Amino acid sequence: MSGDYKFNTLGLHAGHTPDARFGSRAVPIHQTTSYVFQDTEHAAALFNMEVGGHIYSRISNPTVAVLEQRLAALEGGIGCVATSSGMAALFLTVLGLCSAGDHIVSSSQMYGANINLFEHTLSRYGISTTFVKPNDLAGFKDAIKPNTKMVFGEVIGNPGMDIMNVPEVGKITAAAGVPLVIDATFNTPWLFKPLEYGANIVIHSLTKWIGGHGIALGGAVIDGGNFDWGQNDRFPTLTEPHFGFQGVNLWEEFGPAAFITRVRTEGMYNIGPCLSPTNAFHLIQGLETLGLRMERHMANTVKMLDFLANHEGISWVKHPNLPDHPDHAIAKQLMPKGAGSIIACGIKGGRDAGRAFIENVQVASHLANVGDAKTLVIHPGSTTHSHITPDAMKAAGLTDDLVRISVGLEDFEDLADDFNAALRIAGKVAGAAK
Amino acid sequence: MKVMVRGQETFISTGGRAFDASGNVLLFLHGSGQSHLSFMLQGRFFANRGWQVLTPNMPAHGLSEGAALTSIEDMADWVAELLDVLNVASANVIGHSQGGLIGLELARRHSGKVKGLSQVATALAIPVNDALLGMAENKEVAAIAAMTDWGHGRDGHRHDHTMPGQDHMNYGKQLMAANETGALFADLTACANYAGGADAAAAVTCPCQVILAQKDKMTPVKFGLKMAQALKVSDPVIIAGAGHMLPSERPVEVNKALRQFFEVN
Ligand SMILES: Cc1ncc(COP(=O)(O)O)c(C=O)c1O
C-alpha cells in the first residue's frame, strides 16, 4: 500500500534533490568544513536545533546527509548518522546507550574488532559484555540483565557464517525492553532489512558491499525509530535531560529520533568520527548500483559454490546456502536471495597448500577486506593466524586449511580458470608433503 | 510538561523552554493519528523566539494517557479544559488537519480563549473514505502506511529532509505507530462525522490565517480555499510542491508564514 519508491530507485534518488541554482544531477561534493550563516538569528537557530542545516562538517555535511538519508530510506529507518568507519558506527551506538556499570549481550561469532571492542576496550570503561552463540535463543534470553542496554549481533557472522535468527532474538529483546542492534554489513539491505524483522538499530561498515569499489572507508548508524525508550527507566541517556540544548529531553522532544539525535549531538560533537564529504560521494556512487551488484555477487556465489563443491582440491565448503550448513534453514527463510557472498573452504593439504593457493591466484586479490567488486581471498593460517597451532585455531572456530573468499563480479569463467590454476599448484604442494 | 486533564496524565511539549502562562501563548493542535512530534520543527523555533509554546498530545496520542476522544466538539472542549488547567486565558491557535477542525470548534464554543487562528492544511470538513476507515479499524499498520504515503509530497517521497540524515516517511510511520492502538480510528471517525465546520467558521470573530499545501492529497487546496473564504481570509498562503505534512516537510515556509501572522496578532 505504501507508495515508497522501490530499492533501486531509492538507491539512485533518495536524499537528494538537484539544487535550484545549478541543477547538478550528481550529488555535489561539499568539500567544506563550515557554512556561512545568513545572520545571527540563523546561527542561533542552527545551534538550538530549531531548524535544519549545517554548522560544521564534524556534525553534518550536505553530501554526507544525502548518503545518510539514502541509507535510512533503504533500511526503512527514521534517520542515519554516517561515520568514518564501521567501527566508529558501533562505538557511537554503544556510546549513545551505555555508561559505566552497564551491560551488553552480544553474539560470540563476529568480526574480530567488534569482539575486541566489547571484550577488551569497553571493559576498561566499566561496560561488560556477555557473549552468546548467535543461534542460542535461550542463551540470549538468559543473558539479559537489568543493566543490559543493548543486544548485538551480525546477521551473517564471522568466520562460520553463522546466521542470527533476528526475528526470534527480536521477540526476546522486545519482551525484555532492550533494543536489538544489528551489524548488517554482510547482508546489506538488498538481502535482508533487519528493521523489518524486530531489530531497532542497524549499523554498517560502508567500506564493504555498499561502497563496493574498495576506495573509501565509512560506516553508518541507522535508527529504526521503533523502540520505546520511555517504557522503563533503563535509558537515561535518552530520557533524562541532555547536557546540550538547554537540557533537552531527547525522548520527549524528538520521539522516534531520540537515539539518532543523541548519536549526532554527543557522538559527533564530542567524539567526532565524521565521514569526509569526498568519501561520502564515493560511497554514494557505490550505493547507486548496490542492487545490480548484489544480484551479480549472488549469481557468482552460486557458481562458485558449485565449482568448489565439485573440485578435487577442495576438502570442504561452508556457506549458509548449502544444505549441510547448520543454519541453512534460517538462512533460507531470512535471505531467500542468498546468504551473502562470503565463502569459507578448505584447501586439501592444510596450511602449506592454503598458502600455495593464496600465493598463486592472479585474478583474485590476496588482501584483508570483503565486499569489493573484485574477488578477494585470504588464508588466516598463513597470515593473521600464522603462529597459532592448528589446535588453537580450531578452538577459535578456524582450521589451518581455511581460505575465505569474497566473491566478486568478474566473469565467472575467469575466476574458475584462476582458481583451477592456483589449486593445481596447491595440489602439488599437498602431494609433495605426503 | 505533564498535567492532569479530566483525571488523565497529559503531555504537552513546550518547545524545550519552561512555560509561562502570562506570555503570548501559541497552541499547536495536531492532526489525526499524529502527536506533538508533527510540530517538531515549530515548537523549538517559536519557544526560542519569545512565544510560550503548548503542543499537547490529545488523549491516547504520543505520551498522553486516557482514551481517545471521539468527536471534534469534545476535543475542542477538552482543549479548553487544558487551557483552564494551565491558567491560560487565551491563546493563538494553530490547527493542522484535524487540529484545524478542533481549532474551528474551539473558536466557536470557547471564543474568548482564541486570540488568533492559523489553519494549516485543513478544511471546513475532512470526509474520510470507507476504505481508510476500515483499514484504521482493522489493519492500522496499513492505514498508517497509506496516510504517510498520501500525506507527504515531493520532499517526503525523495527522503530529502531539512534536518540532516532524517527521513520524513519512516519517521511519520513510527510517530503514528507510537500512539495507542485505536486512536487513529477514533480520530478519523471524529473527522468523518464532523459537520459543523461551516457554522463554526461563520461564528469565528478572531483574526485568521490559512496555510495550504499545493500538493495536498488529504485536504486538497480547493477545500482549503473554501475554508479561507468562510473565514474571510483573503490572502491564503499556498506552499508550492508541499504535501499535507507541511509542518515537517516545509518548516521554513510554514514558520515564516506563522511568524508573520502572529507577530502582528
Ligand atoms: C561485519 C563487520 N562489521 C564491521 C566492520 C568494521 O568496518 P570498518 O573497517 O569500516 O571500520 C567490518 C570490517 O571488516 C566487518 O566485517
Side-chain angles (χ1 to χ4, degrees):
Chain A
M1 187 78 212
S2 166
D4 204 358
Y5 294 120
K6 297 190 173 47
F7 193 93
N8 291 305
T9 311
L10 290 175
L12 286 160
H13 292 279
H16 180 231
T17 305
D19 67 292
R21 188 159 173 207
F22 300 115
S24 307
R25 181 56 276 182
V27 177
I29 305 176
H30 290 271
Q31 190 65 45
T32 184
T33 57
S34 32
Y35 308 83
V36 178
F37 303 121
Q38 292 156 18
D39 50 34
T40 49
E41 185 189 327
H42 178 229
L46 285 166
F47 279 108
N48 288 334
M49 277 197 307
E50 296 159 16
V51 297
H54 307 280
I55 299 170
Y56 185 62
S57 286
R58 191 176 79 245
I59 302 158
S60 67
N61 166 281
T63 311
V64 177
V66 173
L67 175 67
E68 291 170 339
Q69 287 165 184
R70 200 162 287 186
L71 287 166
L74 287 169
E75 288 286 8
I78 58 92
C80 168
V81 169
T83 57
S84 55
S85 70
M87 289 317 300
L90 177 55
F91 182 68
L92 291 200
T93 300
V94 172
L95 184 82
L97 298 174
C98 303
S99 304
D102 288 343
H103 175 250
I104 294 168
V105 176
S106 171
S107 159
S108 59
Q109 305 305 113
M110 300 194 300
Y111 174 55
N114 284 356
I115 302 243
N116 287 337
L117 173 70
F118 290 143
E119 193 168 347
H120 299 294
T121 306
L122 295 176
S123 58
R124 287 173 36 228
Y125 295 86
I127 298 168
S128 59
T129 301
T130 303
F131 291 99
V132 177
K133 284 247 157 65
N135 25 34
D136 177 8
L137 295 176
F140 278 104
K141 192 165 177 220
D142 295 344
I144 296 173
K145 303 193 277 191
N147 62 338
T148 302
K149 299 300 162 85
M150 58 184 261
V151 171
F152 182 73
E154 297 170 0
V155 181
I156 305 171
N158 253 329
M161 272 71 75
D162 314 67
I163 304 298
M164 188 168 178
N165 192 334
V166 176
E168 290 304 318
V169 177
K171 284 181 198 157
I172 292 166
T173 54
V178 176
L180 176 59
V181 182
I182 292 291
D183 180 333
T185 301
F186 274 46
N187 49 289
T188 82
W190 195 79
L191 292 175
F192 180 70
K193 296 186 188 182
L195 298 176
E196 291 178 1
Y197 293 87
N200 307 105
I201 296 166
V202 165
I203 67 163
H204 277 288
S205 167
L206 306 176
T207 317
K208 312 295 180 330
W209 288 264
I210 285 183
H213 31 43
I215 60 174
L217 273 115
V221 184
I222 298 148
D223 186 350
N226 55 354
F227 189 82
D228 179 356
W229 303 107
Q231 64 183 290
N232 48 37
D233 53 9
R234 212 188 267 247
F235 304 100
T237 55
L238 304 178
T239 58
E240 286 181 7
H242 182 40
F243 53 81
F245 312 99
Q246 300 106 32
V248 64
N249 179 321
L250 296 170
W251 172 236
E252 289 183 355
E253 204 76 29
F254 300 105
F259 168 74
I260 203 70
T261 305
R262 177 92 190 191
V263 170
R264 200 180 292 283
T265 58
E266 181 179 42
M268 280 307 172
Y269 269 76
N270 299 359
I271 309 289
C274 57
L275 183 64
S276 85
T278 299
N279 272 5
F281 173 81
H282 289 312
L283 293 166
I284 287 166
Q285 306 319 303
L287 201 45
E288 293 194 348
T289 58
L290 180 64
L292 281 175
R293 285 185 290 108
M294 287 307 291
E295 253 179 76
R296 186 161 169 105
H297 274 299
M298 297 322 300
N300 270 358
T301 298
V302 169
K303 289 180 193 166
M304 183 63 87
L305 287 172
D306 189 51
F307 170 86
L308 294 171
N310 293 304
H311 201 289
E312 56 180 19
I314 298 292
S315 46
W316 56 269
V317 186
K318 194 160 191 182
H319 186 277
N321 280 17
L322 298 175
D324 63 352
H325 190 281
D327 296 331
H328 176 66
I330 183 70
K332 233 173 122 178
Q333 180 197 325
L334 298 185
M335 290 172 280
K337 291 190 275 192
S341 54
I342 300 294
I343 300 172
C345 64
I347 308 291
K348 261 187 203 158
R351 199 178 291 231
D352 291 338
R355 178 184 297 123
F357 170 76
I358 285 283
E359 289 183 345
N360 286 286
V361 286
Q362 308 226 352
V363 174
S365 309
H366 175 206
L367 55 73
N369 193 18
V370 290
D372 200 295
K374 302 172 182 79
T375 293
L376 316 175
V377 290
I378 195 157
H379 176 227
S382 58
T383 53
T384 48
H385 292 65
S386 64
H387 299 297
I388 298 177
T389 63
D391 283 348
M393 281 187 77
K394 235 189 191 132
L398 296 163
T399 50
D400 64 355
D401 61 344
L402 182 151
V403 162
R404 185 185 70 192
I405 305 166
S406 173
V407 180
L409 310 181
E410 294 89 346
D411 292 300
F412 187 77
E413 297 71 19
D414 293 329
L415 287 178
D417 287 350
D418 192 39
F419 277 37
N420 272 326
L423 284 169
R424 208 171 303 126
I425 297 166
K428 280 185 194 152
V429 170
K434 269 187 199 158
Chain B
M1 67 179 162
K2 284 180 177 160
V3 297
M4 299 300 282
V5 182
R6 294 188 184 171
Q8 298 289 346
E9 192 172 84
T10 298
F11 176 79
I12 307 163
S13 170
T14 58
R17 292 263 165 175
F19 179 72
D20 173 4
S22 67
N24 189 353
V25 176
L26 292 187
L27 169 68
F28 290 87
L29 300 176
H30 65 74
S32 301
Q34 303 287 307
S35 72
H36 69 292
L37 296 167
S38 51
F39 295 114
M40 187 167 82
L41 294 173
Q42 280 70 46
R44 302 174 66 72
F45 182 90
F46 286 98
N48 283 324
R49 280 165 184 70
W51 277 279
Q52 301 301 313
V53 169
L54 291 178
T55 312
N57 285 160
M58 300 301 287
H61 294 69
L63 303 172
S64 284
E65 295 178 345
L69 306 179
T70 54
S71 78
I72 298 298
E73 292 83 350
D74 191 33
M75 292 176 194
D77 292 344
W78 182 90
V79 170
E81 288 169 48
L82 175 130
L83 291 175
D84 288 341
V85 169
L86 293 168
N87 291 317
V88 174
S90 68
N92 283 305
V93 177
I94 300 98
H96 175 234
S97 194
Q98 172 188 305
L101 302 184
I102 303 171
L104 285 175
E105 266 311 304
L106 187 69
R108 168 163 73 167
R109 298 160 84 87
H110 307 275
S111 62
K113 286 190 160 35
V114 183
K115 273 198 291 193
L117 180 63
S118 180
Q119 296 286 82
V120 182
T122 186
L124 294 172
I126 305 183
V128 182
N129 69 49
D130 288 344
L132 180 57
L133 271 175
M135 274 196 286
E137 186 173 18
N138 304 311
K139 224 179 145 196
E140 202 178 73
V141 174
I144 288 173
M147 287 178 67
T148 324
D149 175 21
W150 302 332
H152 285 90
R154 189 195 63 196
D155 294 359
H157 282 89
R158 275 200 192 140
H159 300 263
D160 191 0
H161 207 295
T162 58
M163 295 300 271
Q166 289 206 18
D167 190 289
H168 290 286
M169 301 221 295
N170 293 328
Y171 185 89
K173 282 181 203 165
Q174 296 300 340
L175 181 167
M176 294 181 75
N179 292 338
E180 292 295 329
T181 304
L184 177 63
F185 179 64
D187 283 346
L188 294 177
T189 307
C191 285
N193 291 341
Y194 182 64
D199 289 347
V204 172
T205 52
C206 66
C208 294
Q209 178 187 45
V210 170
I211 304 175
L212 303 173
Q214 187 206 10
K215 300 282 185 191
D216 196 332
K217 290 188 192 167
M218 305 189 77
T219 49
V221 166
K222 65 175 177 186
F223 299 111
L225 290 174
K226 267 196 191 155
M227 173 186 62
Q229 227 172 17
L231 289 171
K232 302 180 191 63
V233 172
S234 59
D235 55 350
V237 179
I238 300 180
I239 297 180
H244 185 67
M245 300 300 183
L246 73 174
S248 53
E249 259 191 336
R250 294 301 191 83
V252 177
E253 292 102 313
V254 169
N255 292 359
K256 188 174 164 204
L258 288 174
R259 196 175 176 182
Q260 276 170 357
F261 179 64
F262 289 116
E263 263 172 359
V264 290
N265 287 294

